[in-house]
């Protein structure tokens, strides 16, 4: 990393993470490590996917939540716990509380995906919807804790949370001892900080690189400033890492231990989600596939040895999944929209579709425009939406239409 933040020795150490691993035995899963031939070919190095999307509750969040709640004193457990989350931490707290017999209340943003809200309730929590972003929801949960005496379970800014998330790093070193680079998504920073504590203590030669969505990237300006900085209106489809300000403790650890923080675009996130689904047969939410997005964006950066990309979660609203897949296919050149002018006579459309058949372009939708004043008396404008095989196929389709005498106007 280009920025080193002068901080005291981090308050989370390897022994904390090892203690958390013992506590989580029989509670959290040791999730699978899957190889990716496509990403390996792209980067020139073996790439492995750490599948925390297959963890209980669908994300790594159960690890930290369980360690935090299990460490409460009896009188604290009796008071109950409260949390705030866009969904994954909510489900982790709800399940951990149920397993430990503790009452839980969870605040979620008003726009939280409905499946995450329903799952949190099914795990036993009382859900309250408040705020548009996680930071507003956090404030409401903290106010509730102050008013009722419930213990606030922060999603990332607590040493027990970080220690629990750090068990992901221990598993990576056990499952892929030859690893040279680990990519992990960053929202508030709890997962990245925990992984860095575990990995750097045992293997300081391994690079740990954080990944943020470009529209919600609070860490780069914070690292430049030397302290956590808030950003206004974080915007990204990756709701799991849509956090406007780094946590104080994760920031101190990340500034000291991480090797770099990269940002990725929305296009890259959608393409990564599509790749995980098509090539790896894994359902991963946008935040969870941010490390894959980093690999797709700059594959040449990761050719120095085996890479592990942490797929941190798989909880995604089916409606959002549908939109992202369409967006991802368009970004990958799998959709092509064209407007053409053809003669307004019987058989003209059939002839056009016949030309498209010769280049194996699948027609998804066709519409006619006859009333545009720019059209000639005997012309009609046809708008086509096609399913294609990639950018080269799109070029082939356009050239074939031009060669057949069709005038493409958009």
């Amino acid at each position: 990393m280009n920025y080193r933040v002068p901080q005291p020795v981090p308050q989370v150490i390897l022994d904390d993470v090892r203690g958390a691993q013992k506590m989580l035995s029989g509670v959290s899963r040791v999730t699978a490590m899957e190889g990716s031939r496509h990403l390996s070919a792209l980067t020139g190095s073996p790439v492995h996917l750490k599948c925390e999307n297959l963890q209980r509750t669908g994300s790594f969040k159960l690890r930290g939540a369980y360690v935090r709640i299990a460490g409460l004193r009896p009188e604290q457990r009796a008071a109950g716990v409260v949390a705030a989350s866009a969904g994954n931490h909510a489900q982790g707290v709800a399940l951990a509380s149920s397993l430990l017999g503790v009452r839980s209340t969870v605040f979620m943003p008003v726009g939280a995906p409905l499946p995450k809200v329903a799952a949190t309730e099914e795990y036993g929590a009382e859900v309250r919807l408040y705020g548009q972003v996680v930071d507003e929801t956090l404030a409401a949960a903290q106010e509730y804790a102050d008013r009722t005496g419930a213990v606030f379970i922060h999603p990332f800014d607590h040493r027990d949370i970080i220690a629990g998330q750090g068990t992901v790093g221990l598993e990576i070193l056990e499952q892929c001892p030859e690893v040279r680079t680990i990519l992990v998504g960053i929202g508030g920073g709890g997962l990245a900080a925990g992984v860095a504590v575990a990995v750097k203590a045992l293997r300081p030669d391994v690079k740990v690189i954080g990944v943020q969505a470009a529209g919600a990237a609070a860490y780069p300006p914070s690292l430049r400033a030397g302290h956590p900085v808030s950003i206004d209106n974080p915007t990204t489809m990756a709701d799991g890492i849509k956090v406007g300000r780094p946590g104080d403790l994760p920031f101190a650890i990340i500034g000291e231990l991480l090797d770099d923080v990269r940002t990725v675009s929305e296009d890259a996130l959608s393409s990564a989600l599509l790749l995980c689904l098509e090539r790896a047969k894994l359902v991963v939410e946008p935040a969870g596939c941010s490390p894959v997005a980093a690999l797709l964006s700059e594959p040449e950066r990761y050719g120095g040895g085996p890479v592990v990309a942490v797929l941190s979660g798989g909880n995604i609203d089916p409606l959002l999944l549908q939109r992202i897949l369409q967006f991802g296919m368009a970004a990958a050149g799998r959709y092509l929209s064209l407007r053409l002018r053809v003669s307004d006579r019987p058989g003209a459309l059939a002839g056009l579709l016949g030309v498209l058949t010769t280049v194996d372009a699948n027609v998804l939708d066709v519409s006619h425009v006859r009333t545009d004043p720019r059209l000639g008396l005997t012309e009609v404008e046809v708008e086509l939406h096609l399913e294609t095989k990639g950018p080269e196929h799109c070029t082939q389709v356009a050239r074939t239409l031009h060669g057949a005498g069709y005038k493409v106007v958009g």
Side-chain angles (χ1 to χ4, degrees):
M1 190 184 292
N2 296 325
Y3 315 102
R4 287 297 177 192
V5 182
Q7 295 285 349
V9 176
Q11 300 176 42
V12 183
I13 62 175
L14 179 61
D15 284 347
D16 297 322
V17 182
R18 284 178 165 159
Q21 188 176 46
K22 292 179 181 178
M23 189 179 296
L24 289 167
S25 178
V27 176
S28 65
R29 295 171 181 156
V30 177
T31 51
M33 184 83 75
E34 299 288 343
S36 172
R37 286 185 294 177
H38 179 78
L39 292 172
S40 298
L42 194 65
T43 62
S45 292
V47 174
H48 305 277
L49 307 175
K50 176 60 172 169
C51 300
E52 282 296 290
N53 59 309
L54 303 179
Q55 183 58 260
R56 296 180 70 180
T57 74
S59 89
F60 69 96
K61 289 287 191 176
L62 172 64
R63 298 172 183 264
Y66 188 90
V67 173
R68 173 76 171 100
I69 298 170
L72 296 178
R73 300 187 303 274
E75 63 272 20
Q76 291 177 311
R77 293 194 187 194
V81 300
V82 60
S85 167
N88 288 340
H89 179 61
Q91 293 175 67
V93 168
L95 178 56
S97 298
S98 295
L99 292 174
L100 292 164
V102 177
R103 184 179 71 258
S104 61
T105 301
V106 175
F107 285 76
M108 303 179 75
V110 172
L114 292 179
K116 292 185 178 183
V117 175
T120 302
E121 292 175 331
E122 289 172 6
Y123 286 128
E126 177 190 348
V127 173
R128 301 190 181 191
L129 301 179
Y130 185 90
Q132 299 300 318
V133 296
V134 173
D135 302 86
E136 296 173 352
T137 311
L138 279 169
Q142 185 64 67
E143 186 277 332
Y144 176 89
D146 294 340
R147 176 166 47 84
T148 65
V151 178
F152 179 60
I153 308 299
H154 200 285
F156 46 81
D157 207 358
H158 192 279
R159 65 191 309 273
D160 289 344
I161 295 289
I162 294 172
Q165 320 306 28
T167 59
V168 174
L170 294 181
E171 289 180 15
I172 290 173
L173 295 182
E174 292 166 1
Q175 294 170 306
C176 186
E178 69 278 13
V179 64
R180 301 295 300 172
T181 303
I182 297 173
L183 290 165
V184 57
I186 302 182
L191 175 61
V195 169
V197 167
V199 171
K200 290 296 186 177
L202 295 169
R203 288 281 306 281
D205 59 303
V206 174
K207 290 183 179 180
V208 181
I209 298 175
V211 184
Q212 290 207 286
Y219 265 89
S222 296
L223 291 165
R224 287 193 292 270
H227 58 83
V229 172
S230 297
I231 59 171
D232 295 328
N233 302 316
T235 304
T236 176
M237 69 177 75
D239 60 285
I241 53 175
K242 187 179 177 182
V243 179
R245 182 187 184 280
D248 292 332
L249 182 52
F251 177 80
I253 295 171
I254 285 171
E256 181 67 25
L257 297 181
L258 248 66
D259 293 277
D260 201 359
V261 175
R262 311 297 302 170
T263 60
V264 293
S265 68
E266 300 297 285
D267 279 1
L269 286 168
S270 60
S271 296
L273 188 150
L274 181 62
L275 183 144
C276 287
L277 188 61
E278 283 193 323
R279 298 298 183 96
K281 315 306 178 190
L282 293 168
V283 177
V284 185
E285 62 189 281
C289 64
S290 56
V292 175
L295 291 172
L296 292 178
S297 300
E298 300 176 291
E300 68 281 355
R301 282 184 170 271
Y302 307 103
V307 178
V308 172
V310 180
L311 306 183
S312 58
N315 295 313
I316 184 168
D317 186 337
L319 294 177
L320 176 61
L321 176 61
Q322 182 182 30
R323 294 197 299 271
I324 292 175
L325 289 177
Q326 291 173 339
F327 186 78
M329 291 182 72
R334 301 276 292 279
Y335 287 137
L336 178 62
S337 295
L338 295 169
R339 287 183 292 114
L340 308 97
R341 292 180 184 174
V342 301
S343 297
D344 190 9
R345 58 178 176 78
L349 180 59
L352 171 60
L353 297 179
V355 172
L356 293 172
T357 300
T358 65
V359 288
D360 199 26
N362 185 34
V363 179
L364 299 175
D365 188 40
V366 179
S367 62
H368 289 75
V369 176
R370 287 188 168 86
T371 57
D372 192 317
R374 292 171 296 181
L375 293 172
L377 182 64
T378 60
E379 284 184 320
V380 61
E381 189 170 282
V382 176
E383 184 172 350
L384 296 168
H385 298 279
L386 309 175
E387 182 181 4
T388 55
K389 300 173 184 177
E392 292 183 0
H393 192 206
C394 290
T395 301
Q396 181 189 5
V397 170
R399 286 176 177 170
T400 300
L401 289 170
H402 180 76
Y406 289 98
K407 183 180 181 181
V408 178
V409 296

